[in-house]
Each structure stands twice: as structure tokens, then as C-alpha cells.
Amino acid sequence: TFFAGLGLLSVTVFVNYTQNCVSSGMDVAMLVPRYISQRRGAIIFSILGVLANPWRFLTQAITFITVLSSFGVFMSPAAAILVVDFWLIRKTKWNIPELYTPGGIYWFTGGANWRAFVAYFMGMWPALPGFINAVSGLEVAITWVRFYQISFFFGYIVSGTLYFTFCKLSPPPGLGVQLNFEVDGTLVVDGLEKEISEREKGAGETKTEVFT
């Protein structure tokens, strides 16, 4: 019990610190850079994150298991959509400048990707009645309880399959083209033919390279 508790505490502290280094610490350092650095802000919010942790969920095994199970209900469909989108649909190719372009290709329709939202809710909602039963004790049919018990696998498979199908029927914009920036600011276009002029010794020649 001691080592399990120590491991849980360590995970809580380390996850808080690493996540807050990127988000909270950086944001606060930007707001009041005269007094708080990114490291100082990360440490402050790591402590606050541990203090604000809902420790009541950890007092009983049943409550703890219910909380952990709820992550499968809501997170597994989202995880499946992200994996399918990055590896199968876009094949690891992203147009990074467009991520920061208002109204760009990742703005989709009104700022929402309907393929992802429909696939997410279709994989998530069957587990909700069982989740309500586990949280509040409200009686539901045993079928809904079973959906809740396998929510991670069910949501992952259903949402991932639906999202892949929707993207094949209605492909999102910008597929197959990757734009990135090197450290020196050079624009790299992956998957498109790009001419590069290179002067060789003794003669000037134009080479054409295809980046893949």
C-alpha cells in the first residue's frame, strides 16, 4: 500500500510539473515576466495542481475505479480519432503554418470538423447510461452496463472506424501535403516537386529534387 501510494503521488507530481512547464508556467511568465519565469510558474502551478487534485476520489477503491472507468468513456473515442487522423488519413503529413492561420484548412466548417464530432458521439453515447448507473446508482438495463464496462474498446473501435469511413467518403482538405519550417526559417514542402538551383564547381546547373 505504501509503495502504491508513493507511486501515485509521484505520478501526480511529475505529470503536473511536465504539463505545467508547457502551459501554465509559460502563460504566467508571459503575463508577468518581471516577476515570474517559466520555471517558477511551472513550480507554482505544479504545487497548486497537487493541492487542487480531487483526493476524495482516491479514498475508496470503488470510487477510484469508477473515476478511472469514466476516462475510457470520454477519452477512448477522442484517442481513436487522433490516431486514425494522423496515421491513416493524413499519413503523418501536416501543414504546420495552416494550424495558426485563421480560416485555414484546419478550420473546417465553422471551426468544427463534423467527421470527428459525429464519430466521437457515436462511439461515446452507448456508455453514458452505464456511466450514470456507476456514478449515481440509477438503475439501467444490463446491456448499458456492459457497454460501460467495455467502453474503452467499444469507443475506440467504433469512433476510429466511423472517422476513417467519413474521411474516405468526404476527404478533409490539405491531405498529402506537409509544410514545415527548418530551424533557419527555410520552408520545406514535403510531397511536392521543388526546384533547387545549385551551382556546382566549374559549371552552373539546375537540379530538380523531389522531396518525399
Side-chain angles (χ1 to χ4, degrees), residues 1-200:
T1 302
F2 168 77
F3 287 108
L6 181 63
L8 185 61
L9 177 62
S10 301
V11 168
T12 304
V13 172
F14 296 145
V15 168
N16 267 279
Y17 184 76
T18 53
Q19 290 182 343
N20 286 321
C21 279
V22 179
S23 54
S24 304
M26 186 180 297
D27 293 341
V28 176
M30 181 185 66
L31 293 175
V32 282
R34 183 175 180 180
Y35 304 101
I36 300 179
S37 64
Q38 180 180 348
R39 178 181 297 179
R40 188 176 300 174
I43 295 174
I44 292 173
F45 277 89
S46 295
I47 296 173
L48 293 178
V50 173
L51 296 178
N53 188 59
W55 296 102
R56 180 175 59 86
F57 291 158
L58 310 178
T59 57
Q60 295 181 355
I62 296 177
T63 306
F64 183 58
I65 293 173
T66 302
V67 173
L68 290 180
S69 299
S70 67
F71 284 104
V73 174
F74 301 103
M75 298 305 296
S76 65
I81 291 171
L82 292 174
V83 169
V84 171
D85 184 79
F86 183 71
W87 291 101
L88 301 181
I89 301 300
R90 302 188 185 277
K91 301 185 185 304
T92 71
K93 295 184 182 298
W94 279 90
N95 188 333
I96 294 180
E98 284 288 323
L99 291 172
Y100 306 94
T101 303
I105 61 175
Y106 301 119
W107 184 249
F108 298 105
T109 305
N113 183 357
W114 67 267
R115 308 164 190 82
F117 276 94
V118 173
Y120 176 83
F121 284 110
M122 291 299 292
M124 182 266 294
W125 78 264
L128 287 181
F131 173 70
I132 295 173
N133 168 262
V135 172
S136 64
L138 183 67
E139 290 294 330
V140 297
I142 190 63
T143 303
W144 301 116
V145 176
R146 296 290 183 259
F147 272 119
Y148 170 70
Q149 292 173 342
I150 61 170
S151 59
F152 185 90
F153 304 100
F154 177 83
Y156 198 97
I157 294 173
V158 171
S159 294
T161 302
L162 287 177
Y163 184 73
F164 182 82
T165 304
F166 294 153
C167 289
K168 288 299 182 181
L169 296 177
S170 177
L175 295 182
V177 177
Q178 175 169 315
L179 272 74
N180 202 345
F181 289 99
E182 295 289 358
V183 177
D184 60 357
T186 304
L187 181 63
V188 178
V189 183
D190 222 11
L192 297 178
E193 185 174 331
K194 182 181 179 182
E195 291 188 357
I196 299 178
S197 296
E198 182 184 47
R199 187 174 300 276
E200 299 182 351

Side-chain angles (χ1 to χ4, degrees), residues 199-212:
R199 187 174 300 276
E200 299 182 351
K201 285 186 177 181
E205 295 182 0
T206 299
K207 288 175 59 180
T208 300
E209 295 186 4
V210 179
F211 289 80
T212 56

